[in-house]
Amino acid sequence: GRAKKPHHSYLSLAMELACDDIEIVRYVGKESFDPAPKVDSIVLRFSVKQNRDRETEESLLALWRCAFQHPRKTLLSNLSEHTIDRDIRKTLTELGYDERVRAEAVKMEDWGKLHISKIST
């Protein structure tokens, strides 16, 4: 089958950045709640990294706050509301993304490369 495109959110990227491992502990059916929601739930266990580069984390989180500010807008549109280095557009293209890509579709490993072409915060 076709490889599934990444679909990230600010929260999922932040958790992936801060944790060594995120594991599913168990599934909880919607009938376990009153009133019952429309979806089932999952209990997760987060194993936080012991050695973290807080400066890089803060910088990436600032970039993601801008990138995910308006989820229906493109990444470049969201970033254009802030001071943006022109290299981000070039880096996006070099990484094989369309200029109309939304933040949710950018792979985790590519954020580091976009981060280097730096947004001013």
Side-chain angles (χ1 to χ4, degrees), residues 86-97 110 113-114 117:
R86 298 287 159 235
D87 287 344
I88 287 191
R89 182 182 306 272
K90 183 174 168 250
T91 305
L92 259 184
T93 308
E94 287 170 356
L95 291 171
Y97 292 99
D110 291 338
K113 296 167 191 139
L114 289 169
S117 35

Side-chain angles (χ1 to χ4, degrees), residues 19-26 42-48:
C19 297
D20 278 324
D21 188 46
I22 302 170
E23 72 178 283
I24 296 172
V25 175
R26 67 178 295 206
I42 299 174
V43 177
L44 300 172
R45 177 179 295 123
F46 297 89
S47 301
V48 179

Side-chain angles (χ1 to χ4, degrees), residues 28-41:
V28 182
K30 54 185 161 239
E31 65 282 348
S32 298
F33 300 93
D34 185 26
K38 293 186 173 157
V39 295
D40 293 329
S41 297

